[in-house]
């Protein structure tokens, strides 16, 4: 049994949000604990509204309840009467049972936080008071499991990319309360809505489309049973459809892995900027579609990846036509996403092999590509675009630099005492002006070091799951932090934890090895 | 035991037959019974598919050998230079493979071409247009490959040995038609550039009657955006089916898509390709035999609005 490490980080002004298992903790810039939001454990059993369960509980006082019931009636109904139970049993994914935060996002002003939990396909929106306290505003269960999301530039719409390949738009703040029983206003503006399955009162085949005796007999039987079924299905469909505003924007026939929004000058009026939705999938595609309301128009593709794409990163201001994409390929690819042109490649595998203990690695799965914002200044006072890359199960950060000629070159590896899971920049409020040292906050999985993990979980004080790196000149050194928060331990096996934390390599197609 | 033996014999026969027919110079048309395959394939699974990472890297030369442009050896800047190893020098790095070029691009795609009846009938009527069948089933793709090969050989021989009764056919007949095994629902943009196609045929697609399989249908709100991407403005999507509900489904989804409009009935009936689609597809013939209905709908790709 091991403790959950912090696995997602989001810095909003002077406040750090860190997800740990199914909880979101907040800290001030000195990493002193402020508050914790806990995933409501038994929301299915209780009929209380979500707002009542949302509370800013103080510091974690005890271990969270062990019982994590998430399978509620709604999930069963979502299977549309098919043998989903069988399938779920077949693919015994721990994420199916255990609530686990899969994504943590924030509006640019830091006033709202958005999170994804996979087990219940839910998108959570929280209001942030600026001091680290979260108030749950909405909880929306999507038709399919969201894989990644982003916000439009105006921060008013969530774009959610799901496992089924579809992208939905949801208002950040729902216009109607999520629990109204009135029929959902599904998408009046966009004609792309996936047609609701019509309630069939006659079989889709007829005497002219089936020919064998057996099929004709089957057709007769079908006709009889259909009427009964129709009523049942109508009822089910009504239940299945989410009761909140959500608009289908576009879709791939493949699992989506990442989504981001880019801007470019309008073709008709170059002085106005237009948004584009950039989506990547497991089948090596990066697709560029127009933004709302013309998401049905595909502008282009960035084609050239030879394995799954798992991470997209638009270069910071001034270079917004650049897209850095990584995944199962040996290299990162730098794209001009507006033209679909490949500009540069930067090797990843080559540099991973130089990390201690990684000499034998022959494939990589990129999980984070993090470019420093344009205001960010390195230790020696020069403005540079530094790109940090995290590779799954590799205990180091790979540091790249993006040059003016759009090439990306590897600068160094920063070895870490555990596998990095996420990172963000820590800006000290009082240092924003004329700041010469920005600190880097890294979430680590300390359990990968040997098998002595048990001792760590028993000693909550010695967790190394959060680290701060300070930039001195050209070097990055871990800076000691006194008040590293204690982690509330949960009973989870190491294997199960790894299944939750390391999901990216699983995107690789098995056929690749044959 | 007995069943196993029969199965084995059948497989052996199939293999022998296919090997024989693939030998050079064989002009006999392949027989379907050696290429049958279950009518359904799961478009979501990772088949062992071969597709180019980018349309520019697609090697069309083996499909359309008569259209290959014989170019001078590559210009010097394509040669590997000493600094190629440095990651900061794009160029050689970024263009890993330059396939042979064709004098023209594929313009017509038959998505789910089956046994290739439409392509074979269409090819002589549009002799200067390259057309490609896409089919997800391996055996069926092989049948179409062998069929095209045999037809090409026949046409060449007929042209070489003039007969008195009929004028000799053009020696290049059927050289404009090719077939590929592919999952068109996933990889259409890997084969075709934006606006490359002028016609897409979707003939007698798998109806996927069950409601929970509707997402596997070849026509859907989101997939239509990909057809719009590979079609040039003014290009046409041709659909035909014998299943009324599927017809309604396809009409509903294309009409709802802002990039398409339905083609009027008069225009539809005056399009020679429609007649061929009705009578020459293998499914079309089957429906004819069974006296079934055929529902046709055409959709035109509109210009994209300003953005």
């Amino acid at each position: 049994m091991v403790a959950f490490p912090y696995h997602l980080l989001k810095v909003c002004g002077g406040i750090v949000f860190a997800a740990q298992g199914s909880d979101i903790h907040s800290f001030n810039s000195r990493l002193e604990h402020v508050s914790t939001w806990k995933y409501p454990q038994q929301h299915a059993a209780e009929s209380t509204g979500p707002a009542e369960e949302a509370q800013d509980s103080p510091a974690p006082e005890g271990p969270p309840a062990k019982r994590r019931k998430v399978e509620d009636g709604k999930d069963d109904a979502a299977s549309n009467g098919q043998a989903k139970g069988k399938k779920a049993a077949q693919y015994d994914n721990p994420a199916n049972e255990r609530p686990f935060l899969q994504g943590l996002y924030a509006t640019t002003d830091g006033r709202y936080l958005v999170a994804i939990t996979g087990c219940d396909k839910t998108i959570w929106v929280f209001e942030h008071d600026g001091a680290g306290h979260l108030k749950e505003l909405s909880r929306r269960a999507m038709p399919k499991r969201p894989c990644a999301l982003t916000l439009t530039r105006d921060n008013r719409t969530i774009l959610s990319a799901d496992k089924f390949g579809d992208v939905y738009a949801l208002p950040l703040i729902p216009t109607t309360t999520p629990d109204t029983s009135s029929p959902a206003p599904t998408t009046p503006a966009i004609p792309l809505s996936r047609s609701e399955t019509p309630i069939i009162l006659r079989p889709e085949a007829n005497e002219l489309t089936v020919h064998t005796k057996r099929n004709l007999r089957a057709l007769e039987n079908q006709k009889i049973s259909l009427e009964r079924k129709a009523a049942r299905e109508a009822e089910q469909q009504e239940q299945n459809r989410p009761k909140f505003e959500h608009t289908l924007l576009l879709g791939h026939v493949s699992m989506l892995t990442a989504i981001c929004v880019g801007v470019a000058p309008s073709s008709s009026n170059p002085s106005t900027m237009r948004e584009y939705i950039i989506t990547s999938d497991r089948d090596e595609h990066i697709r560029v579609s127009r933004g709302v309301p013309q998401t049905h128009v595909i502008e282009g593709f960035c084609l050239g990846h030879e394995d799954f794409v798992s991470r997209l990163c638009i270069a910071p201001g001034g270079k917004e036509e650049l897209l850095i994409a990584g995944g199962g390929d040996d290299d990162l690819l730098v794209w001009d996403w507006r033209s679909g042109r490949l500009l540069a490649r930067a090797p990843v595998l080559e540099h991973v092999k130089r990390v201690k203990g990684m000499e034998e690695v022959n494939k990589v799965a990129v999980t984070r590509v993090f470019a420093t914002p344009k205001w960010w200044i390195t230790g020696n006072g020069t403005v540079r675009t530094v790109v940090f890359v995290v590779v799954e199960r590799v205990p180091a950060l790979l540091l790249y630099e993006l040059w003016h000629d759009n090439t990306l070159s590897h600068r160094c590896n920063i070895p870490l005492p555990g596998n990095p899971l996420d990172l963000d920049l820590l800006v000290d409020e009082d240092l924003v002006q004329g700041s010469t040292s920005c600190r880097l906050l890294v979430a680590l999985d300390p359990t990968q070091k040997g098998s002595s993990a048990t001792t760590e979980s028993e000693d909550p004080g010695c967790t190394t799951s959060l680290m701060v790196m300070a930039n001195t000149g050209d070097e990055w050194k871990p800076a000691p932090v006194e008040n590293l928060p204690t982690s509330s331990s949960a009973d989870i096996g190491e294997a199960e934890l790894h299944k939750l934390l390391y999901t990216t390599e699983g995107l690789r197609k098995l056929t690749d090895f044959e | 035991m007995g069943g196993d033996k029969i199965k084995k014999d059948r497989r052996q026969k199939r293999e022998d037959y296919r090997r024989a027919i693939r030998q050079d110079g064989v002009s006999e048309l392949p027989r379907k019974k050696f290429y049958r395959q279950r009518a359904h394939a799961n478009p979501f699974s990772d088949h062992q598919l071969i597709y180019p990472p980018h349309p520019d890297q697609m090697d069309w030369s083996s499909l359309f050998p008569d259209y290959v442009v014989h170019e001078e050896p590559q210009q010097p800047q394509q040669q590997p230079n000493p600094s190629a190893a440095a990651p900061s020098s794009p160029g050689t790095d970024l263009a890993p493979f330059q396939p042979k070029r064709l004098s023209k691009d594929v313009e017509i795609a038959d998505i789910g071409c089956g046994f290739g009846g439409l392509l074979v009938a269409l090819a002589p009527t549009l002799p200067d247009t390259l057309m490609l069948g896409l089919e997800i089933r391996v055996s069926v793709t092989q049948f179409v490959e062998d069929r095209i090969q045999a037809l090409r050989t026949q046409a060449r021989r007929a042209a070489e040995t003039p007969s008195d009764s009929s004028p000799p056919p053009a020696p290049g007949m059927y050289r404009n038609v090719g077939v590929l095994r592919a999952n068109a629902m996933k990889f259409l943009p890997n084969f075709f550039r934006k606006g490359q196609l002028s016609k897409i045929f979707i003939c007698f697609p798998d109806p996927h009657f069950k409601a929970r399989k509707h997402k596997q249908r070849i026509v859907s709100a989101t997939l239509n955006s990909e057809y719009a991407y590979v079609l040039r403005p003014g290009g046409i999507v041709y659909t035909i089916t014998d299943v009324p509900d599927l017809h309604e489904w396809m009409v509903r989804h294309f009409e709802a898509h802002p990039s398409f409009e339905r083609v009027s009935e008069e225009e539809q009936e005056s399009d020679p390709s429609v007649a061929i689609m009705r009578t020459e597809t293998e499914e079309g013939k089957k429906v004819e035999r069974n006296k079934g209905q055929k529902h046709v709908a055409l959709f035109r790709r509109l210009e994209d609005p300003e953005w």
Side-chain angles (χ1 to χ4, degrees):
Chain A
M1 291 297 144
V2 294
F4 271 109
Y6 293 92
H7 67 282
L8 296 168
L9 296 174
K10 198 88 235 167
V11 178
C12 298
I15 298 294
V16 175
F17 289 101
Q20 179 193 36
S22 61
D23 302 337
I24 303 172
H25 303 280
S26 59
F27 307 99
N28 64 20
S29 56
R30 291 181 301 281
L31 288 181
E32 290 158 349
H33 181 263
V34 177
S35 82
T36 295
W37 173 83
K38 280 184 178 296
Y39 183 89
Q41 294 303 325
Q42 294 159 21
H43 70 263
E46 291 165 26
S47 57
T48 51
E52 286 165 59
E53 287 181 59
Q55 46 189 295
D56 304 328
S57 61
E61 282 153 12
K66 286 180 184 175
R67 194 162 145 248
R68 291 171 186 263
K69 187 167 177 287
V70 286
E71 277 295 318
D72 58 8
K74 251 196 269 174
D75 260 6
D76 290 337
S79 65
N80 209 2
Q82 56 184 286
K84 192 180 178 179
K86 201 175 108 194
K87 198 183 161 197
Q90 204 176 339
Y91 303 99
D92 186 21
N93 185 345
N96 285 340
E97 294 105 40
R98 191 182 282 274
F100 186 73
L101 287 157
Q102 291 197 327
L104 195 61
Y105 309 86
T107 54
T108 34
D109 60 7
R111 281 190 55 211
Y112 296 95
L113 208 67
V114 185
I116 302 172
T117 47
C119 59
D120 51 5
K121 308 175 197 159
T122 297
I123 294 175
W124 307 77
V125 176
F126 305 95
E127 192 177 345
H128 173 214
D129 66 356
H133 299 278
L134 292 179
K135 182 178 166 222
E136 186 185 313
L137 290 184
S138 69
R139 170 165 87 198
R140 283 170 278 187
M142 299 300 289
K144 300 280 169 187
R145 181 181 290 223
C147 295
L149 62 80
T150 189
L151 290 146
T152 52
R153 288 272 162 139
D154 62 7
N155 282 304
R156 289 166 73 174
T157 306
I158 298 172
L159 304 174
S160 162
D162 70 27
K163 208 169 172 171
F164 184 51
D166 290 333
V167 175
Y168 285 93
L170 301 89
L172 179 71
I173 312 296
T175 43
T176 50
T177 51
D179 285 313
T180 60
S181 51
S182 61
T186 30
T187 115
I190 309 295
L192 255 193
S193 68
R194 194 176 288 289
S195 285
E196 291 294 327
T197 310
I199 307 303
I200 327 152
L201 284 164
R202 65 199 153 101
E204 293 214 0
N206 60 27
E207 287 80 357
L208 296 162
T209 50
V210 296
H211 312 301
T212 67
K213 237 188 223 169
R214 247 177 95 177
N215 283 350
L216 281 169
R217 201 165 56 229
L219 185 63
E220 280 307 306
N221 292 335
Q222 233 184 336
K223 279 179 176 164
I224 298 165
S225 66
L226 265 173
E227 253 171 79
R228 262 175 287 160
K229 211 173 145 194
R232 206 166 57 231
E233 276 186 3
E235 195 181 310
Q236 268 188 3
Q237 252 180 34
E238 199 45 53
Q239 280 178 1
N240 290 352
R241 193 193 303 144
K243 303 275 192 294
F244 52 84
E245 187 186 339
H246 66 296
T247 310
L248 178 64
L249 297 183
L250 60 105
H252 297 216
V253 183
S254 178
M255 182 199 295
L256 292 178
T257 53
I259 181 167
C260 62
V261 170
V263 290
S266 161
S267 58
S268 55
N269 177 11
S271 60
T272 54
M273 296 301 267
R274 295 287 185 197
E275 278 187 20
Y276 292 83
I277 300 173
I278 307 174
T279 41
S280 66
D281 69 27
R282 195 177 156 244
D283 288 309
E284 309 97 28
H285 297 126
I286 298 172
R287 186 196 281 189
V288 181
S289 309
R290 290 182 181 179
V292 178
Q294 289 191 24
T295 53
H296 62 276
V297 178
I298 299 174
E299 278 300 327
F301 287 86
C302 299
L303 295 174
H305 285 270
E306 295 185 35
D307 220 305
F308 65 87
V309 181
S310 52
R311 211 70 196 179
L312 300 174
C313 172
I314 296 251
K319 283 199 172 281
E320 282 169 319
E321 74 280 12
L322 295 192
L323 176 74
I324 307 168
D329 281 320
D330 295 348
D331 302 335
L332 292 173
L333 273 62
V334 183
W335 296 96
D336 177 347
W337 60 265
R338 293 174 186 171
S339 67
R341 229 158 39 89
L342 178 60
L343 301 174
R345 283 173 174 273
V348 175
L349 178 64
E350 188 186 316
H351 300 293
V352 165
K353 282 173 186 280
R354 297 197 184 127
V355 176
K356 193 163 169 279
M358 296 285 129
E359 295 81 5
E360 302 300 314
V361 165
N362 59 14
K363 54 181 191 287
V364 290
V366 171
T367 60
R368 290 290 184 277
V369 178
F370 182 94
T372 53
K374 64 177 169 186
W375 46 261
W376 189 73
I377 300 162
T378 52
N380 53 18
T382 53
V383 179
R384 287 172 162 181
T385 303
V386 171
V387 179
F388 296 98
V389 175
V390 177
V391 180
E392 194 163 86
R393 292 180 191 268
V394 173
L397 287 175
L398 279 69
L399 194 150
Y400 292 79
E401 186 160 350
L402 186 63
W403 298 95
H404 290 296
D405 64 353
N406 301 332
T407 59
L408 187 67
S409 58
H410 180 261
R411 294 293 299 272
C412 62
N413 290 341
I414 306 168
L416 294 170
N419 296 335
L421 300 172
D422 200 1
L423 71 160
D424 206 345
L425 289 182
L426 199 58
V427 191
D428 297 308
E429 280 164 348
D430 44 327
L431 290 178
V432 170
Q433 270 132 19
S435 161
T436 51
S437 66
C438 246
R439 294 182 296 161
L440 188 68
L441 186 65
V442 185
L444 294 175
D445 172 17
T447 59
Q448 59 94 36
K449 278 258 168 180
S451 56
S452 60
T454 42
T455 54
E456 271 167 324
S457 71
E458 281 157 17
D459 179 8
C462 87
T463 175
T464 52
S465 182
L466 276 182
M467 261 184 86
V468 175
M469 315 281 294
N471 179 5
T472 53
D474 252 1
E475 275 187 70
W476 287 86
K477 291 233 169 78
V481 172
E482 303 286 313
N483 305 312
L484 268 184
T486 60
S487 69
S488 64
S489 62
D491 59 328
I492 181 167
E494 194 166 342
E496 194 188 347
L497 178 64
H498 282 193
K499 262 194 197 171
L500 283 168
L501 292 178
Y502 304 116
T503 54
T504 310
E505 181 56 41
L507 295 171
R508 200 181 300 273
K509 292 177 189 172
L510 289 172
T511 47
D512 286 2
F513 306 116
E514 283 164 16
Chain B
M1 285 292 282
D4 271 3
K5 190 156 187 281
I6 290 166
K7 219 173 186 177
K8 206 175 210 174
D9 285 353
R10 197 183 295 153
R11 193 191 308 143
Q12 189 60 45
K13 262 190 199 160
R14 274 187 167 210
E15 280 167 12
D16 291 347
Y17 178 84
R18 290 194 199 170
R19 202 175 306 122
I21 206 150
R22 285 189 165 222
Q23 269 164 14
D24 266 351
V26 173
S27 63
E28 186 195 331
L29 285 175
R31 293 163 67 192
K32 272 191 203 167
K33 70 171 196 175
F34 295 111
Y35 298 85
R36 295 263 179 220
Q37 191 176 349
R38 190 175 171 273
H40 312 281
N42 178 2
F44 301 132
S45 72
D46 302 331
H47 298 100
Q48 279 183 293
L49 294 165
I50 298 164
Y51 48 87
H54 188 283
D56 287 351
Q57 288 171 46
M58 177 65 196
D59 187 0
W60 297 103
S61 62
S62 61
L63 292 171
F64 303 104
D66 294 299
Y67 290 86
V68 172
V69 179
H70 295 282
E71 285 171 295
E72 296 297 304
Q74 293 290 321
Q75 51 270 51
Q77 73 246 36
Q78 291 295 331
Q79 298 294 324
N81 58 54
S83 64
S88 58
S89 76
T92 51
D93 249 341
L94 303 178
F97 170 62
Q98 297 281 325
K100 289 176 189 158
R101 282 202 309 121
L102 298 187
S103 58
K104 43 177 72 176
D105 287 333
V106 172
E107 253 189 58
I108 299 177
D110 183 2
I111 294 175
C113 68
F115 288 93
L118 174 79
L119 290 169
V120 166
L122 208 57
T125 69
L126 298 162
D128 293 319
T129 309
L130 296 194
M131 50 190 77
L132 182 76
L134 297 160
E135 172 58 51
I136 199 166
R137 291 169 292 167
V138 186
S139 290
V140 178
T141 314
Q142 272 175 7
F143 174 87
V144 183
E145 262 171 41
D146 294 350
R147 185 177 185 180
I148 293 168
Q149 216 48 56
L151 286 169
R152 284 180 183 169
T153 311
Q154 279 180 1
R156 202 175 56 235
R157 289 213 182 133
E160 282 162 5
T161 55
S163 70
D164 317 317
S165 52
S166 59
M173 274 248 278
Y174 301 110
R175 60 179 191 169
N176 59 329
V177 47
V179 69
L180 268 180
R181 187 193 176 213
N183 180 346
M185 287 174 76
K186 280 177 180 265
F187 299 112
L188 219 47
N190 290 64
F191 293 102
F192 306 118
R193 287 186 299 271
K194 187 179 188 174
Q196 181 177 335
L197 301 180
S198 59
K199 294 178 202 290
I200 292 179
F201 288 89
I202 299 175
C203 301
F204 300 97
D206 192 334
H208 290 295
F209 288 120
K210 289 176 186 164
R212 70 181 173 90
K213 293 227 167 181
H214 282 177
K215 61 180 180 183
Q216 299 196 9
R217 285 183 168 171
I218 195 88
V219 169
S220 69
T222 53
L223 209 44
N224 288 359
S225 293
E226 287 204 17
Y227 302 137
Y229 171 78
V230 293
L231 263 184
R232 69 187 60 150
I236 306 278
V237 177
Y238 296 74
T239 70
I240 183 168
T241 177
D242 58 328
V243 181
D245 292 84
L246 181 61
H247 172 71
E248 280 166 31
W249 168 282
M250 293 198 287
V251 170
R252 195 164 70 236
H253 282 82
F254 272 112
E255 281 186 335
H257 198 287
S259 297
F260 290 97
E261 66 171 12
R262 180 130 186 218
V263 172
S264 71
E265 191 133 346
E266 301 101 88
E267 199 183 326
Q268 172 183 314
E269 294 313 314
S270 65
D271 189 326
S273 301
V274 170
I276 295 173
M277 180 169 76
R278 273 215 181 89
T279 54
E280 299 298 331
T281 54
E282 314 286 321
E283 273 303 307
K285 287 177 188 164
K286 193 170 121 192
V287 174
E288 198 78 54
R289 283 199 301 277
N290 292 313
K291 310 222 177 342
Q293 322 127 296
K294 291 179 207 166
H295 305 272
V296 173
L298 272 56
F299 307 92
R300 183 179 295 107
R301 165 76 157 96
L302 300 170
E303 292 272 0
D304 287 331
E306 298 262 299
W307 182 241

